[in-house]
Amino acid sequence: MADSIYLDYAASTPVDPDVAARISALLKSQLGAANPSATHRPGRAAAAVIEHARQQVADLIGAQAGEIVWTSGATESDNLAIIGAAHFQQGRGRHVITSTTEHPAVLESCRALERDGFKVTYLRPDDAGLLDPDIVAAAVTADTILLSVMHVNNETGVVQDIAALGALCREHDLLFHVDAAQSAGRLPIDVKAQAIDLLSLSAHKMYGPKGAGALFLDADRCRRVEPLQFGGAQERGLRPGTLPTHQLAGMGQACELARQRLATDPPAQAQLRDHLWSQLQTLPGVLLNGSARQRVCHILNVSVTGVEGESLRLALRELAISSGSACASDSGEPSAVLKSLGRSDQLAEASLRFSLGRGTTMAELDRAVAIFRREVTRLRALAPTLPDEAA
Ligand SMILES: *Cc1c(COP(=O)(O)O)cnc(C)c1O
C-alpha cells in the first residue's frame, strides 16, 4: 500500500488535512452530537454550521445558499435531479435528452425513467468526446423537458461547452442538468452565467469527505422536484433525513478551499498532466483518448496498442490508476465511453486513466512513466501477435 503511486484522484481525492481536522473536531463536540433539527442550543448551533457550509457550496458555483440541497454524493444528486425533475415536470412532456458518455448515475436514472414510460434520447458525441449543440438542438421535440450533460467526463477528462448547451436549453425552454463532480474546483462554474438549472456536486472528488454531496436547484426555474425519499421536513422535504453536520461542514470547507485555489491548482496540474503526456508519448502506440484541446487539468486517458487490457492492468499493479471509471471497473466490459468515441474493443480495454491532484509530484509521474514503459515493452515482446491496430 505504501509503495503505490496514487494517480486516481478522479475516483476519489484524499481529504484535505484542514478539512479532516474540522470534521474530527466536530465529531468530538457536543454540537456534533446534536441533531441539527433539534431546537435546543447545540441543535441550533449545528444548524448554523450547516448553513455556513451551504453558503460555502453556493459561493463556489455562483448560487444562493437557498438553492443548495444536501445529498450523500453526486450519485444521489444525479438521481434526484433527473428523476425528480422529470416526474415533477411530466405535465409538460415526457422526453429527456442525454449523452452516451454520461456517468452511470445519470444513465441509470434515465433507464429508470424509461421504465416509467418516459422517452430518452442518448446522443453520441463525436470521436473527440464533444457534444455538438446543433445535434442536441435537432433532438429537441415538443415533448422534451430536460437535458442532462456532464461538465467534465470522468473517464476522458473532456470538457463540454456547458454555456452553449445552457443557452440552447433556455431557447427551447428545457431544464438543464449538469453533473459537475469532476469540474468543481478545476474549472470556473457560474450557474447563472452558464444557464444551469440543476447541478450535481460530490465532496470526495474535491478533497472533502466521502458520503456528502449537493444538488443546486435554480430558485426561479425549478424550485421543486419530486422527492425520491420520504420522511421529515429537512431540506424543504426534497431530501428528508438527519443532516450529517460534520460531513457537510467538511464539504463546505472543501468548497471554500477549492474556490481559493481555483487560480493556482488547475494550471499547476495541467502542467503536470502535459509533462506526463509528453513522457508517455515517447513510447510508440500510445494514443490519447478524447479531445486534446478541451480537457480538464487532472485527467489523462490513453490507450495502448499491441497489449491486452487485463495483462496491462496486472503489470501496472504498483500504480493506483483506473482503467475507465471506478464504477465500471468491476464489470469486465470494455469502457462504453471509449467505445462511444469510436475506439475498438482492444483499445478500449487496453486503456488507462491517469488522474492527478494536489499531492502529485513530477518525481511520482516520472516513476510511473518508467514503470509504464518497462511493462508495456515487456508485454509487447511477450505477445507480438496481437494486432497493432490504430482505431
Ligand atoms: C464520482 C462521480 C459521480 C458519483 O459521485 P459519488 O459522490 O461517488 O456518488 C458522479 N458523476 C461523476 C462525473 C463522477 O465523477
Side-chain angles (χ1 to χ4, degrees), residues 20-76:
R22 171 116 167 95
I23 291 173
S24 170
L26 279 168
L27 278 171
K28 293 170 197 161
S29 68
Q30 186 185 55
L31 185 163
N35 189 315
S37 300
T39 52
H40 47 58
R41 202 185 321 155
R44 287 203 311 272
V49 165
I50 290 171
E51 291 320 302
H52 177 65
R54 200 189 296 277
Q55 186 67 54
Q56 288 172 311
V57 174
D59 287 345
L60 180 65
I61 60 172
Q64 301 295 317
E67 298 177 307
I68 304 296
V69 166
W70 297 114
T71 66
S72 61
T75 297
E76 188 188 335

Side-chain angles (χ1 to χ4, degrees), residues 1 40 103 108 120 157 187 200 203 208 213 220 251 284 294 312 364:
M1 197 51 197
H40 47 58
H103 190 274
E108 292 304 316
V120 181
L187 290 168
S200 302
D220 298 323
M251 178 165 184
Q294 269 182 247
L312 185 64
E364 268 183 330

